């Protein structure tokens, strides 16, 4: 008995030490990979004219506009901010587009008003942004949670969509049931709800391992670091209702109501929104096409910005051809 009291804790300590050493070595290998973009490039805020859009419930939405030409509205994902669009926005402006990017309520520099946070409130924010800038020709590019909310918006406000939206790029996204078939989400969402994931994100070792799961076959050290910086700074308590909505709500049966052309894009190695989501989106949205990105994961904004930019430009061209 006395021997087991000594040996078992020693074995547990040894296993923990070995596991941490292996994790540290893996994290160091990931951090030493060549970067697609310099770190400061991915930290660079979007350039343009700043605006504050005040909703009826007191929510203040922070937005940035730049460029001129056909409008592309950019809607980011959960736990990040409009910073995720810094490469794509620059590319779109250089290709002759007007870009509007905004922080989702409760993210970045946007606040949460009296109505709180949820899919209906945030879908209404899309309407408010389009109306504030009096957009009539927008192609919406929406990532992950941003795509989920984009579909809720298109289903809730069909008249606004008809008048102001010409198409959508639905990128690494889903129409609900985000935990189904995703062991990663089944693990990470409860950790976010409990507050543990914020600690993980601040750990040099375990934060890097977490961020690498959002990439495909080529995790990028600069992208991982910037994502973790934004993720760790986020206040998650007020955001828990939208996490529940993404897991519990289901709009797949209503996708046939979406009437604008959509391009669905997904990385083959996306573990956060596994490819079956994109397959269902493409099958059930009447005028949708599906593009696969081989070897890519969830953070396509930095993994494959050229592909996302081109998808938006192709959709603009498709819409202009149909309407001319």
């Amino acid at each position: 008995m006395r021997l087991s009291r000594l040996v078992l804790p020693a074995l547990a300590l040894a296993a923990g030490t070995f596991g941490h050493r292996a994790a540290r070595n893996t994290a160091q290998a990931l951090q030493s990979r060549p970067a697609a973009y310099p770190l400061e490039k991915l930290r660079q805020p979007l350039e343009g004219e700043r605006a504050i859009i005040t909703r009826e419930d007191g929510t203040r939405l922070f937005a940035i506009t730049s460029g001129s030409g056909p409008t592309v509205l950019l809607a980011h994902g959960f736990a990040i901010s409009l910073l995720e669009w810094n490469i794509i926005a620059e590319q779109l402006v250089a290709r002759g587009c007007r870009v509007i990017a905004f922080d989702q309520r409760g993210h970045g520099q946007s606040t949460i008003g009296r109505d709180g946070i949820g899919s209906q409130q945030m879908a209404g924010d899309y309407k408010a942004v389009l109306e504030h800038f009096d957009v009539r020709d927008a192609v919406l590019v929406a990532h992950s949670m941003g795509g989920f909310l984009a579909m809720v918006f298109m289903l809730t406000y069909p008249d606004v969509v008809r008048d102001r939206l010409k198409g959508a790029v639905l990128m690494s996204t889903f129409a609900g049931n985000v935990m189904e078939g995703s062991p990663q989400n089944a693990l990470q969402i409860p950790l976010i709800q409990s507050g543990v994931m914020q600690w993980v994100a601040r750990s040099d070792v375990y934060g890097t391992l977490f961020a690498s799961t959002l990439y495909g076959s080529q995790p990028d050290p600069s992208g991982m670091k910037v994502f973790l910086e934004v993720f760790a700074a986020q206040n998650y308590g007020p955001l828990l209702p939208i996490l529940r909505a993404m897991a519990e709500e289901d709009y797949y049966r209503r996708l046939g109501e979406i009437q604008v052309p959509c391009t669905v894009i997904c990385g083959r190695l996306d573990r956060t929104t596994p490819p079956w989501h994109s397959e269902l989106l493409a099958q059930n949205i009447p005028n949708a096409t599906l593009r696969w990105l081989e070897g890519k994961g969830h953070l396509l904004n930095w993994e494959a910005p050229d592909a996302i930019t081109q998808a938006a430009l192709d959709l603009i061209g498709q819409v202009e051809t149909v309407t001319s």
Side-chain angles (χ1 to χ4, degrees):
M1 177 69 71
R2 185 177 303 169
L3 180 62
S4 65
R5 288 177 180 174
L6 294 173
V7 170
L8 292 178
L11 288 174
L13 178 61
T17 302
F18 177 81
H20 177 72
R21 185 180 299 120
R24 183 186 61 201
N25 291 342
T26 300
Q28 289 174 345
L30 289 166
Q31 292 163 353
S32 65
R33 292 177 56 85
Y37 294 96
L39 183 59
E40 292 310 312
K41 178 69 173 176
L42 297 190
R43 282 176 172 157
Q44 184 176 331
L46 274 67
E47 297 181 354
E49 183 178 346
R50 299 181 169 211
I52 299 293
I53 304 162
T54 302
R55 298 294 318 280
E56 295 85 350
D57 71 337
T59 294
R60 291 166 59 84
L61 301 172
F62 175 72
I64 292 180
T65 65
S66 58
S68 60
T71 302
V72 180
L73 175 64
L74 303 172
H76 68 77
F78 181 80
I80 193 165
S81 71
L82 58 76
L83 182 70
E84 80 157 78
W85 300 115
N86 48 16
I87 302 298
I88 290 171
E90 183 179 87
Q91 291 181 346
L92 287 167
V93 170
R95 298 288 294 274
C97 295
R98 176 196 188 198
V99 170
I100 301 171
F102 70 102
D103 281 335
Q104 306 271 10
R105 68 169 59 195
H107 294 73
Q109 298 183 58
S110 291
T111 65
I112 302 175
R114 294 182 301 277
D115 291 344
I117 194 166
S119 61
Q120 291 299 318
Q121 300 94 311
M122 298 174 82
D125 294 340
Y126 286 51
K127 174 178 178 287
V129 173
L130 289 167
E131 291 177 343
H132 176 85
F133 293 105
D134 194 23
V135 176
R136 300 286 175 177
D137 63 346
V139 165
L140 171 60
V141 179
H143 180 206
S144 196
M145 178 193 75
F148 169 70
L149 295 170
M151 285 177 273
V152 178
F153 160 67
M154 289 189 282
L155 294 170
T156 306
Y157 300 100
D159 293 344
V160 176
V161 172
R162 184 187 63 244
D163 293 341
R164 300 184 182 277
L165 199 65
K166 301 304 181 185
V169 176
L170 302 174
M171 159 188 162
S172 306
T173 192
F174 54 96
N177 294 333
V178 75
M179 289 206 294
E180 183 177 337
S182 175
Q184 177 168 296
N185 288 338
L187 171 65
Q188 291 178 359
I189 287 177
L191 291 178
I192 292 171
Q193 293 170 325
S194 69
V196 171
M197 189 58 77
Q198 294 86 302
W199 174 85
V200 171
R202 294 186 181 97
S203 164
D204 184 56
V205 171
Y206 296 102
T208 299
L209 298 182
F210 159 51
S212 71
T213 68
L214 302 177
Y215 275 84
S217 60
Q218 303 292 325
D220 181 86
S222 294
M224 289 189 292
K225 187 170 184 62
V226 175
F227 169 80
L228 289 170
E229 289 171 354
V230 179
F231 187 94
Q234 179 67 54
N235 178 16
Y236 288 92
L239 301 187
L240 297 184
I242 193 59
L243 270 183
R244 289 193 293 270
M246 292 190 293
E248 297 172 3
E249 295 178 12
D250 184 342
Y251 297 95
Y252 281 101
R253 292 187 182 93
R254 295 188 57 196
L255 293 177
E257 300 173 34
I258 295 175
Q259 295 303 309
V260 296
C262 293
T263 301
V264 179
I265 299 184
C266 184
R268 286 282 192 186
L269 301 181
D270 190 336
R271 286 167 281 184
T272 303
T273 51
W276 70 264
H277 286 286
S278 292
E279 291 171 352
L280 283 182
L281 296 181
Q283 289 170 11
N284 291 295
I285 296 173
N287 191 5
T289 58
L290 177 58
R291 297 186 184 182
W292 296 112
L293 296 181
E294 300 296 333
K296 305 302 181 184
H298 190 65
L299 291 183
L300 298 181
N301 52 299
W302 291 328
E303 284 186 272
D306 295 350
I308 306 306
T309 296
Q310 190 59 54
L313 294 172
D314 289 347
L315 199 48
I316 290 168
Q318 175 185 336
V319 171
E320 289 177 345
T321 299
V322 171
T323 57
S324 62

PDB file of all heavy atoms in Angstrom, residues 289-315:
ATOM      1  N   THR A 289     -23.055  27.083 -55.775  1.00  0.00           N
ATOM      2  CA  THR A 289     -21.952  26.273 -56.275  1.00  0.00           C
ATOM      3  C   THR A 289     -21.005  25.998 -55.111  1.00  0.00           C
ATOM      4  O   THR A 289     -20.933  26.770 -54.156  1.00  0.00           O
ATOM      5  CB  THR A 289     -21.183  26.984 -57.399  1.00  0.00           C
ATOM      6  OG1 THR A 289     -20.679  28.245 -56.906  1.00  0.00           O
ATOM      7  CG2 THR A 289     -22.090  27.243 -58.597  1.00  0.00           C
ATOM      8  N   LEU A 290     -20.289  24.900 -55.202  1.00  0.00           N
ATOM      9  CA  LEU A 290     -19.412  24.463 -54.118  1.00  0.00           C
ATOM     10  C   LEU A 290     -17.979  24.402 -54.606  1.00  0.00           C
ATOM     11  O   LEU A 290     -17.693  23.819 -55.657  1.00  0.00           O
ATOM     12  CB  LEU A 290     -19.858  23.084 -53.620  1.00  0.00           C
ATOM     13  CG  LEU A 290     -19.021  22.404 -52.526  1.00  0.00           C
ATOM     14  CD1 LEU A 290     -18.940  23.273 -51.279  1.00  0.00           C
ATOM     15  CD2 LEU A 290     -19.602  21.033 -52.194  1.00  0.00           C
ATOM     16  N   ARG A 291     -17.078  25.020 -53.845  1.00  0.00           N
ATOM     17  CA  ARG A 291     -15.652  24.981 -54.153  1.00  0.00           C
ATOM     18  C   ARG A 291     -14.909  24.377 -52.969  1.00  0.00           C
ATOM     19  O   ARG A 291     -15.061  24.820 -51.831  1.00  0.00           O
ATOM     20  CB  ARG A 291     -15.097  26.380 -54.435  1.00  0.00           C
ATOM     21  CG  ARG A 291     -15.690  27.063 -55.650  1.00  0.00           C
ATOM     22  CD  ARG A 291     -14.986  28.384 -55.943  1.00  0.00           C
ATOM     23  NE  ARG A 291     -15.606  29.099 -57.047  1.00  0.00           N
ATOM     24  CZ  ARG A 291     -15.174  30.260 -57.536  1.00  0.00           C
ATOM     25  NH1 ARG A 291     -14.099  30.842 -56.993  1.00  0.00           N
ATOM     26  NH2 ARG A 291     -15.801  30.836 -58.532  1.00  0.00           N
ATOM     27  N   TRP A 292     -14.085  23.373 -53.259  1.00  0.00           N
ATOM     28  CA  TRP A 292     -13.231  22.768 -52.242  1.00  0.00           C
ATOM     29  C   TRP A 292     -11.829  23.339 -52.343  1.00  0.00           C
ATOM     30  O   TRP A 292     -11.308  23.545 -53.436  1.00  0.00           O
ATOM     31  CB  TRP A 292     -13.165  21.259 -52.429  1.00  0.00           C
ATOM     32  CG  TRP A 292     -14.470  20.552 -52.243  1.00  0.00           C
ATOM     33  CD1 TRP A 292     -15.208  19.928 -53.201  1.00  0.00           C
ATOM     34  CD2 TRP A 292     -15.189  20.387 -51.024  1.00  0.00           C
ATOM     35  NE1 TRP A 292     -16.348  19.382 -52.653  1.00  0.00           N
ATOM     36  CE2 TRP A 292     -16.355  19.651 -51.317  1.00  0.00           C
ATOM     37  CE3 TRP A 292     -14.955  20.791 -49.707  1.00  0.00           C
ATOM     38  CZ2 TRP A 292     -17.291  19.303 -50.351  1.00  0.00           C
ATOM     39  CZ3 TRP A 292     -15.881  20.448 -48.731  1.00  0.00           C
ATOM     40  CH2 TRP A 292     -17.033  19.713 -49.052  1.00  0.00           C
ATOM     41  N   LEU A 293     -11.210  23.550 -51.200  1.00  0.00           N
ATOM     42  CA  LEU A 293      -9.816  23.975 -51.146  1.00  0.00           C
ATOM     43  C   LEU A 293      -9.015  22.847 -50.489  1.00  0.00           C
ATOM     44  O   LEU A 293      -9.123  22.600 -49.281  1.00  0.00           O
ATOM     45  CB  LEU A 293      -9.676  25.277 -50.361  1.00  0.00           C
ATOM     46  CG  LEU A 293     -10.382  26.495 -50.991  1.00  0.00           C
ATOM     47  CD1 LEU A 293     -10.158  27.738 -50.145  1.00  0.00           C
ATOM     48  CD2 LEU A 293      -9.914  26.727 -52.424  1.00  0.00           C
ATOM     49  N   GLU A 294      -8.237  22.166 -51.302  1.00  0.00           N
ATOM     50  CA  GLU A 294      -7.485  21.004 -50.828  1.00  0.00           C
ATOM     51  C   GLU A 294      -6.410  21.419 -49.822  1.00  0.00           C
ATOM     52  O   GLU A 294      -5.706  22.410 -50.012  1.00  0.00           O
ATOM     53  CB  GLU A 294      -6.841  20.273 -52.006  1.00  0.00           C
ATOM     54  CG  GLU A 294      -7.829  19.768 -53.033  1.00  0.00           C
ATOM     55  CD  GLU A 294      -8.780  18.723 -52.484  1.00  0.00           C
ATOM     56  OE1 GLU A 294      -8.393  18.023 -51.511  1.00  0.00           O
ATOM     57  OE2 GLU A 294      -9.903  18.589 -53.020  1.00  0.00           O
ATOM     58  N   GLY A 295      -6.306  20.650 -48.765  1.00  0.00           N
ATOM     59  CA  GLY A 295      -5.264  20.873 -47.768  1.00  0.00           C
ATOM     60  C   GLY A 295      -5.518  22.034 -46.827  1.00  0.00           C
ATOM     61  O   GLY A 295      -4.705  22.296 -45.943  1.00  0.00           O
ATOM     62  N   LYS A 296      -6.659  22.720 -46.986  1.00  0.00           N
ATOM     63  CA  LYS A 296      -6.945  23.899 -46.165  1.00  0.00           C
ATOM     64  C   LYS A 296      -7.884  23.546 -45.024  1.00  0.00           C
ATOM     65  O   LYS A 296      -8.634  22.578 -45.075  1.00  0.00           O
ATOM     66  CB  LYS A 296      -7.544  25.018 -47.011  1.00  0.00           C
ATOM     67  CG  LYS A 296      -6.701  25.420 -48.215  1.00  0.00           C
ATOM     68  CD  LYS A 296      -5.309  25.878 -47.815  1.00  0.00           C
ATOM     69  CE  LYS A 296      -4.479  26.295 -49.033  1.00  0.00           C
ATOM     70  NZ  LYS A 296      -3.089  26.657 -48.663  1.00  0.00           N
ATOM     71  N   GLY A 297      -7.840  24.389 -43.986  1.00  0.00           N
ATOM     72  CA  GLY A 297      -8.674  24.192 -42.821  1.00  0.00           C
ATOM     73  C   GLY A 297      -9.741  25.249 -42.689  1.00  0.00           C
ATOM     74  O   GLY A 297     -10.431  25.580 -43.653  1.00  0.00           O
ATOM     75  N   HIS A 298      -9.852  25.822 -41.493  1.00  0.00           N
ATOM     76  CA  HIS A 298     -10.962  26.727 -41.178  1.00  0.00           C
ATOM     77  C   HIS A 298     -10.633  28.195 -41.395  1.00  0.00           C
ATOM     78  O   HIS A 298     -11.521  28.983 -41.700  1.00  0.00           O
ATOM     79  CB  HIS A 298     -11.396  26.512 -39.724  1.00  0.00           C
ATOM     80  CG  HIS A 298     -12.658  27.204 -39.355  1.00  0.00           C
ATOM     81  ND1 HIS A 298     -13.879  26.877 -39.918  1.00  0.00           N
ATOM     82  CD2 HIS A 298     -12.911  28.229 -38.483  1.00  0.00           C
ATOM     83  CE1 HIS A 298     -14.824  27.647 -39.410  1.00  0.00           C
ATOM     84  NE2 HIS A 298     -14.264  28.470 -38.536  1.00  0.00           N
ATOM     85  N   LEU A 299      -9.385  28.579 -41.206  1.00  0.00           N
ATOM     86  CA  LEU A 299      -9.018  30.000 -41.290  1.00  0.00           C
ATOM     87  C   LEU A 299      -8.647  30.380 -42.728  1.00  0.00           C
ATOM     88  O   LEU A 299      -7.535  30.817 -43.021  1.00  0.00           O
ATOM     89  CB  LEU A 299      -7.860  30.309 -40.336  1.00  0.00           C
ATOM     90  CG  LEU A 299      -8.203  30.233 -38.847  1.00  0.00           C
ATOM     91  CD1 LEU A 299      -6.991  30.624 -38.004  1.00  0.00           C
ATOM     92  CD2 LEU A 299      -9.395  31.129 -38.497  1.00  0.00           C
ATOM     93  N   LEU A 300      -9.610  30.242 -43.624  1.00  0.00           N
ATOM     94  CA  LEU A 300      -9.344  30.508 -45.039  1.00  0.00           C
ATOM     95  C   LEU A 300      -9.023  31.961 -45.302  1.00  0.00           C
ATOM     96  O   LEU A 300      -8.421  32.286 -46.328  1.00  0.00           O
ATOM     97  CB  LEU A 300     -10.557  30.079 -45.882  1.00  0.00           C
ATOM     98  CG  LEU A 300     -10.919  28.594 -45.834  1.00  0.00           C
ATOM     99  CD1 LEU A 300     -12.108  28.319 -46.734  1.00  0.00           C
ATOM    100  CD2 LEU A 300      -9.734  27.719 -46.227  1.00  0.00           C
ATOM    101  N   ASN A 301      -9.426  32.847 -44.396  1.00  0.00           N
ATOM    102  CA  ASN A 301      -9.106  34.269 -44.575  1.00  0.00           C
ATOM    103  C   ASN A 301      -7.604  34.496 -44.657  1.00  0.00           C
ATOM    104  O   ASN A 301      -7.142  35.400 -45.373  1.00  0.00           O
ATOM    105  CB  ASN A 301      -9.695  35.099 -43.434  1.00  0.00           C
ATOM    106  CG  ASN A 301      -9.307  34.570 -42.059  1.00  0.00           C
ATOM    107  OD1 ASN A 301      -9.628  33.433 -41.718  1.00  0.00           O
ATOM    108  ND2 ASN A 301      -8.624  35.383 -41.275  1.00  0.00           N
ATOM    109  N   TRP A 302      -6.815  33.676 -43.942  1.00  0.00           N
ATOM    110  CA  TRP A 302      -5.360  33.783 -44.010  1.00  0.00           C
ATOM    111  C   TRP A 302      -4.709  32.578 -44.681  1.00  0.00           C
ATOM    112  O   TRP A 302      -3.580  32.669 -45.149  1.00  0.00           O
ATOM    113  CB  TRP A 302      -4.770  33.967 -42.601  1.00  0.00           C
ATOM    114  CG  TRP A 302      -5.105  35.308 -42.004  1.00  0.00           C
ATOM    115  CD1 TRP A 302      -5.277  36.494 -42.684  1.00  0.00           C
ATOM    116  CD2 TRP A 302      -5.308  35.604 -40.621  1.00  0.00           C
ATOM    117  NE1 TRP A 302      -5.586  37.502 -41.800  1.00  0.00           N
ATOM    118  CE2 TRP A 302      -5.610  36.993 -40.526  1.00  0.00           C
ATOM    119  CE3 TRP A 302      -5.283  34.841 -39.463  1.00  0.00           C
ATOM    120  CZ2 TRP A 302      -5.870  37.628 -39.310  1.00  0.00           C
ATOM    121  CZ3 TRP A 302      -5.536  35.466 -38.253  1.00  0.00           C
ATOM    122  CH2 TRP A 302      -5.829  36.844 -38.180  1.00  0.00           C
ATOM    123  N   GLU A 303      -5.398  31.459 -44.744  1.00  0.00           N
ATOM    124  CA  GLU A 303      -4.865  30.284 -45.440  1.00  0.00           C
ATOM    125  C   GLU A 303      -4.981  30.416 -46.951  1.00  0.00           C
ATOM    126  O   GLU A 303      -4.094  29.960 -47.688  1.00  0.00           O
ATOM    127  CB  GLU A 303      -5.629  29.025 -45.025  1.00  0.00           C
ATOM    128  CG  GLU A 303      -5.289  28.459 -43.675  1.00  0.00           C
ATOM    129  CD  GLU A 303      -5.995  27.140 -43.448  1.00  0.00           C
ATOM    130  OE1 GLU A 303      -7.145  27.164 -42.958  1.00  0.00           O
ATOM    131  OE2 GLU A 303      -5.407  26.087 -43.757  1.00  0.00           O
ATOM    132  N   ALA A 304      -6.075  30.994 -47.411  1.00  0.00           N
ATOM    133  CA  ALA A 304      -6.338  31.040 -48.858  1.00  0.00           C
ATOM    134  C   ALA A 304      -7.032  32.336 -49.248  1.00  0.00           C
ATOM    135  O   ALA A 304      -8.093  32.323 -49.880  1.00  0.00           O
ATOM    136  CB  ALA A 304      -7.179  29.838 -49.263  1.00  0.00           C
ATOM    137  N   PRO A 305      -6.452  33.496 -48.897  1.00  0.00           N
ATOM    138  CA  PRO A 305      -7.136  34.760 -49.204  1.00  0.00           C
ATOM    139  C   PRO A 305      -7.359  34.981 -50.696  1.00  0.00           C
ATOM    140  O   PRO A 305      -8.391  35.540 -51.095  1.00  0.00           O
ATOM    141  CB  PRO A 305      -6.204  35.824 -48.605  1.00  0.00           C
ATOM    142  CG  PRO A 305      -4.864  35.159 -48.507  1.00  0.00           C
ATOM    143  CD  PRO A 305      -5.164  33.722 -48.219  1.00  0.00           C
ATOM    144  N   ASP A 306      -6.409  34.543 -51.529  1.00  0.00           N
ATOM    145  CA  ASP A 306      -6.575  34.722 -52.976  1.00  0.00           C
ATOM    146  C   ASP A 306      -7.828  34.015 -53.478  1.00  0.00           C
ATOM    147  O   ASP A 306      -8.563  34.541 -54.326  1.00  0.00           O
ATOM    148  CB  ASP A 306      -5.353  34.187 -53.725  1.00  0.00           C
ATOM    149  CG  ASP A 306      -4.078  34.946 -53.427  1.00  0.00           C
ATOM    150  OD1 ASP A 306      -4.165  36.011 -52.774  1.00  0.00           O
ATOM    151  OD2 ASP A 306      -3.000  34.488 -53.828  1.00  0.00           O
ATOM    152  N   ALA A 307      -8.096  32.821 -52.960  1.00  0.00           N
ATOM    153  CA  ALA A 307      -9.265  32.052 -53.392  1.00  0.00           C
ATOM    154  C   ALA A 307     -10.554  32.730 -52.963  1.00  0.00           C
ATOM    155  O   ALA A 307     -11.542  32.732 -53.713  1.00  0.00           O
ATOM    156  CB  ALA A 307      -9.203  30.634 -52.827  1.00  0.00           C
ATOM    157  N   ILE A 308     -10.576  33.326 -51.773  1.00  0.00           N
ATOM    158  CA  ILE A 308     -11.783  33.996 -51.298  1.00  0.00           C
ATOM    159  C   ILE A 308     -12.018  35.275 -52.090  1.00  0.00           C
ATOM    160  O   ILE A 308     -13.148  35.574 -52.504  1.00  0.00           O
ATOM    161  CB  ILE A 308     -11.672  34.297 -49.789  1.00  0.00           C
ATOM    162  CG1 ILE A 308     -11.341  33.020 -49.014  1.00  0.00           C
ATOM    163  CG2 ILE A 308     -12.958  34.931 -49.295  1.00  0.00           C
ATOM    164  CD1 ILE A 308     -12.283  31.867 -49.257  1.00  0.00           C
ATOM    165  N   THR A 309     -10.958  36.028 -52.320  1.00  0.00           N
ATOM    166  CA  THR A 309     -11.078  37.237 -53.129  1.00  0.00           C
ATOM    167  C   THR A 309     -11.600  36.903 -54.516  1.00  0.00           C
ATOM    168  O   THR A 309     -12.509  37.562 -55.040  1.00  0.00           O
ATOM    169  CB  THR A 309      -9.715  37.947 -53.229  1.00  0.00           C
ATOM    170  OG1 THR A 309      -9.319  38.382 -51.918  1.00  0.00           O
ATOM    171  CG2 THR A 309      -9.774  39.142 -54.155  1.00  0.00           C
ATOM    172  N   GLN A 310     -11.050  35.869 -55.130  1.00  0.00           N
ATOM    173  CA  GLN A 310     -11.485  35.503 -56.477  1.00  0.00           C
ATOM    174  C   GLN A 310     -12.935  35.041 -56.482  1.00  0.00           C
ATOM    175  O   GLN A 310     -13.681  35.338 -57.423  1.00  0.00           O
ATOM    176  CB  GLN A 310     -10.584  34.405 -57.040  1.00  0.00           C
ATOM    177  CG  GLN A 310     -10.802  34.138 -58.522  1.00  0.00           C
ATOM    178  CD  GLN A 310     -10.565  35.378 -59.370  1.00  0.00           C
ATOM    179  OE1 GLN A 310      -9.512  36.009 -59.295  1.00  0.00           O
ATOM    180  NE2 GLN A 310     -11.558  35.746 -60.178  1.00  0.00           N
ATOM    181  N   ALA A 311     -13.359  34.337 -55.449  1.00  0.00           N
ATOM    182  CA  ALA A 311     -14.754  33.898 -55.381  1.00  0.00           C
ATOM    183  C   ALA A 311     -15.700  35.089 -55.331  1.00  0.00           C
ATOM    184  O   ALA A 311     -16.756  35.091 -55.986  1.00  0.00           O
ATOM    185  CB  ALA A 311     -14.962  33.008 -54.160  1.00  0.00           C
ATOM    186  N   ALA A 312     -15.332  36.117 -54.569  1.00  0.00           N
ATOM    187  CA  ALA A 312     -16.156  37.324 -54.515  1.00  0.00           C
ATOM    188  C   ALA A 312     -16.197  38.014 -55.876  1.00  0.00           C
ATOM    189  O   ALA A 312     -17.263  38.425 -56.352  1.00  0.00           O
ATOM    190  CB  ALA A 312     -15.634  38.279 -53.449  1.00  0.00           C
ATOM    191  N   LEU A 313     -15.041  38.124 -56.534  1.00  0.00           N
ATOM    192  CA  LEU A 313     -14.985  38.771 -57.849  1.00  0.00           C
ATOM    193  C   LEU A 313     -15.766  37.973 -58.885  1.00  0.00           C
ATOM    194  O   LEU A 313     -16.465  38.549 -59.729  1.00  0.00           O
ATOM    195  CB  LEU A 313     -13.526  38.924 -58.283  1.00  0.00           C
ATOM    196  CG  LEU A 313     -12.674  39.880 -57.438  1.00  0.00           C
ATOM    197  CD1 LEU A 313     -11.207  39.782 -57.851  1.00  0.00           C
ATOM    198  CD2 LEU A 313     -13.171  41.319 -57.566  1.00  0.00           C
ATOM    199  N   ASP A 314     -15.672  36.654 -58.831  1.00  0.00           N
ATOM    200  CA  ASP A 314     -16.424  35.814 -59.768  1.00  0.00           C
ATOM    201  C   ASP A 314     -17.922  36.000 -59.577  1.00  0.00           C
ATOM    202  O   ASP A 314     -18.687  36.044 -60.551  1.00  0.00           O
ATOM    203  CB  ASP A 314     -16.064  34.340 -59.567  1.00  0.00           C
ATOM    204  CG  ASP A 314     -14.658  34.010 -60.043  1.00  0.00           C
ATOM    205  OD1 ASP A 314     -14.060  34.839 -60.748  1.00  0.00           O
ATOM    206  OD2 ASP A 314     -14.164  32.916 -59.691  1.00  0.00           O
ATOM    207  N   LEU A 315     -18.354  36.108 -58.328  1.00  0.00           N
ATOM    208  CA  LEU A 315     -19.776  36.283 -58.057  1.00  0.00           C
ATOM    209  C   LEU A 315     -20.244  37.661 -58.521  1.00  0.00           C
ATOM    210  O   LEU A 315     -21.340  37.797 -59.077  1.00  0.00           O
ATOM    211  CB  LEU A 315     -20.043  36.093 -56.566  1.00  0.00           C
ATOM    212  CG  LEU A 315     -21.472  35.792 -56.122  1.00  0.00           C
ATOM    213  CD1 LEU A 315     -22.092  34.682 -56.954  1.00  0.00           C
ATOM    214  CD2 LEU A 315     -21.502  35.440 -54.647  1.00  0.00           C
TER     215      LEU A 315
END
